[in-house]
Amino acid sequence: MNKTLKKNIGLLHLWLGLASGLIVFIVALTGSILVFEEEMDEFFNPEFYKVASIGKEKLPVDVIISEVQKEFHLKKIDRIHSFADPERSLIITGTDSDKKKMIFSVDTYSGKVLGSVPAKKRFFSVVLDLHRHLVLGDFGQAVTGISCLIFVFMLLSGLVLWWPNKIKNLKQRLTVKWGASFKRVNWDFHSTFGFYTFLVLLIISLTGLTWSYDWFESGIYLLADGTTKKPSAKVENPTKIDLDGDKTFFYQNIFSKTDSIYKYKGDTQIRIPSDTINSIMVIKMNLEKEIPNIASLAYFDKYTGEIVQTKPFESFSNGDKVRRLIYPIHTGSIYGYPTKILAFLVCVFAVTLPITGLLIWLGRKKKKK
């Protein structure tokens, strides 16, 4: 490569790295925590996710919801999450009289509320907000999005800078000279492990752009479906007014009907729309599949509880199928613990990149003086 071009790439790599270093540090650190979000949350809060003992029969969901609404003065139920594991509690998300979203965990056998937490103050909700928005809303999302784009460039430019001019120097670039000076070890650590983690970090960074930019998500659909138009996940509700029918087991019947449509083992989530236009959407995850986040949808009339439309995973567009894989790829859960551990280790290394890069720059400044 032309020496002048490589030098200019090196300067861009340096200054963009210094400019985005703090953001990369925060995003990588929070990302490493989020890799094992489910496992850590259940480990530290077992009473929130596990029932005291498995009973003979679960209470109807509507009975549980009614009691929670009365006790906590909920104005609206937003989501109901039921799990295939008999030890798991029922998770209800609702909005109280102060318009604050709350998450409740309820023993499905006794109806006892095991715990409650404001949705935005939950530890991992704060970590996720920090990861995606720096707890700064849309402005923070713009900053992390730009930093993610810069990081992609940093990875590509880093590979160019790492690439040896001569084949005989390749072995040197693939090893860390641990017995050398701190300055040399720091440089080797930054560049050598940067090379080894390059591909995984690039995949994590590129998939992360999905949550920052609509154009990137549209690009996924363009490549998969041939169009940037994303299929709508919403279905209009056929009944326009509440007919005041029998709603004794309204939500329980929706769960039962969903299980009769999709007979595989899976966790089921009911999402009640906040508007007056759309119908209830039910998502049933397929736990019998080796790859996570494979789910089918069903839509129900929010006034009558009648089935409106079914949308099995097999009927999804290629774009939707790929989009559902983005999350497990990004978090490393795509092939279970092996890829989760890999993602965790790579993210931890990414935390060190801004630090080792800064030390390299400071070392050069000191040398020039």
Side-chain angles (χ1 to χ4, degrees):
M1 180 180 286
N2 183 285
K3 286 185 177 180
T4 304
L5 177 60
K6 195 167 185 177
K7 183 181 178 181
N8 290 333
I9 291 173
L11 288 172
L12 278 173
H13 185 88
L14 169 65
W15 293 111
L16 288 175
L18 291 172
S20 63
L22 179 60
I23 308 303
V24 170
F25 178 86
I26 294 171
V27 172
L29 181 61
T30 52
S32 64
I33 295 171
L34 290 167
V35 169
F36 289 104
E37 175 185 353
E38 292 181 10
E39 290 82 358
M40 286 194 291
D41 206 3
E42 288 185 32
F43 178 80
F44 289 111
N45 303 292
E47 71 285 347
F48 194 86
Y49 294 98
K50 299 287 186 179
V51 298
S53 61
I54 300 175
K56 292 182 179 180
E57 190 175 350
K58 290 184 177 182
L59 291 171
V61 172
D62 299 81
V63 172
I64 294 173
I65 290 174
S66 179
E67 291 301 316
V68 173
Q69 281 184 300
K70 289 178 183 177
E71 185 176 350
F72 294 92
H73 309 289
L74 295 183
K75 298 278 288 183
K76 181 181 177 296
I77 298 296
D78 301 298
R79 297 187 182 187
I80 310 163
H81 204 159
S82 175
F83 298 87
D85 183 353
E87 292 186 351
R88 285 295 301 268
S89 58
L90 184 74
I91 301 297
I92 299 171
T93 304
T95 305
D96 63 18
S97 54
D98 296 325
K99 295 183 179 180
K100 181 171 64 177
K101 279 193 182 294
M102 297 289 295
I103 301 174
F104 301 91
S105 173
V106 187
D107 189 317
T108 53
Y109 302 99
S110 67
K112 179 184 176 183
V113 176
L114 303 174
S116 63
V117 60
K120 289 186 177 181
K121 291 185 179 180
R122 174 178 164 269
F123 173 74
F124 283 103
S125 296
V126 175
V127 174
L128 180 62
D129 193 17
L130 189 60
H131 181 73
R132 290 185 181 176
H133 313 109
L134 303 175
V135 201
L136 295 173
D138 292 339
F139 173 75
Q141 183 175 339
V143 173
T144 56
I146 293 170
S147 298
C148 191
L149 281 172
I150 290 175
F151 191 66
V152 170
F153 171 79
M154 296 293 290
L155 290 170
L156 296 173
S157 59
L159 182 64
V160 171
L161 297 172
W162 171 90
W163 202 267
N165 293 324
K166 297 179 181 179
I167 294 297
K168 66 179 183 179
N169 297 328
L170 181 61
K171 184 179 179 181
Q172 178 188 334
R173 294 295 174 92
L174 293 173
T175 56
V176 178
K177 196 173 181 180
W178 295 107
S181 65
F182 172 79
K183 184 178 177 180
R184 174 60 186 271
V185 171
N186 182 68
W187 192 93
D188 281 352
F189 184 83
H190 183 88
S191 62
T192 303
F193 285 105
F195 169 74
Y196 287 131
T197 59
F198 166 78
L199 185 58
V200 178
L201 280 175
L202 184 64
I203 291 171
I204 291 174
S205 302
L206 288 174
T207 51
L209 290 172
T210 309
W211 288 275
S212 296
Y213 297 107
D214 290 336
W215 59 261
F216 189 85
E217 187 177 46
S218 296
I220 294 173
Y221 282 93
L222 180 62
L223 291 173
D225 294 338
T227 175
T228 57
K229 188 176 181 181
K230 179 181 176 181
S232 177
K234 297 179 179 180
V235 173
E236 188 174 336
N237 204 69
T239 307
K240 303 305 178 185
I241 57 172
D242 193 344
L243 302 176
D244 295 324
D246 183 12
K247 296 184 180 179
T248 308
F249 298 108
F250 185 80
Y251 293 115
Q252 187 62 55
N253 285 333
I254 288 178
F255 275 116
S256 299
K257 288 176 182 177
T258 302
D259 287 336
S260 67
I261 297 167
Y262 304 119
K263 300 182 185 298
Y264 54 78
K265 179 184 177 183
D267 301 333
T268 306
Q269 184 181 141
I270 294 178
R271 294 187 178 183
I272 298 96
S274 57
D275 55 53
T276 58
I277 300 171
N278 296 297
S279 56
I280 291 172
M281 181 171 70
V282 181
I283 305 170
K284 186 171 182 181
M285 293 289 179
N286 192 340
L287 299 182
E288 295 176 3
K289 298 287 186 181
E290 292 184 3
I291 297 176
N293 215 31
I294 302 299
S296 295
L297 309 179
Y299 296 87
F300 293 84
D301 191 304
K302 64 181 177 182
Y303 297 127
T304 66
E306 295 299 320
I307 185 73
V308 176
Q309 183 181 317
T310 59
K311 192 176 181 182
F313 181 77
E314 293 72 22
S315 69
F316 284 15
S317 72
N318 291 329
D320 273 343
K321 288 178 179 178
V322 172
R323 181 63 182 84
R324 289 207 70 85
L325 289 177
I326 293 294
Y327 180 78
I329 290 173
H330 184 70
T331 59
S333 61
I334 185 72
Y335 290 117
Y337 284 113
T339 47
K340 272 195 170 189
I341 293 170
L342 177 63
F344 172 76
L345 293 175
V346 166
C347 284
V348 169
F349 170 72
V351 173
T352 70
L353 283 172
I355 300 170
T356 54
L358 178 63
L359 291 174
I360 290 171
W361 176 65
L362 291 174
R364 287 178 178 175
K365 279 189 70 178
K366 186 177 180 182
K367 185 179 178 181
K368 285 180 181 180
K369 287 183 180 180

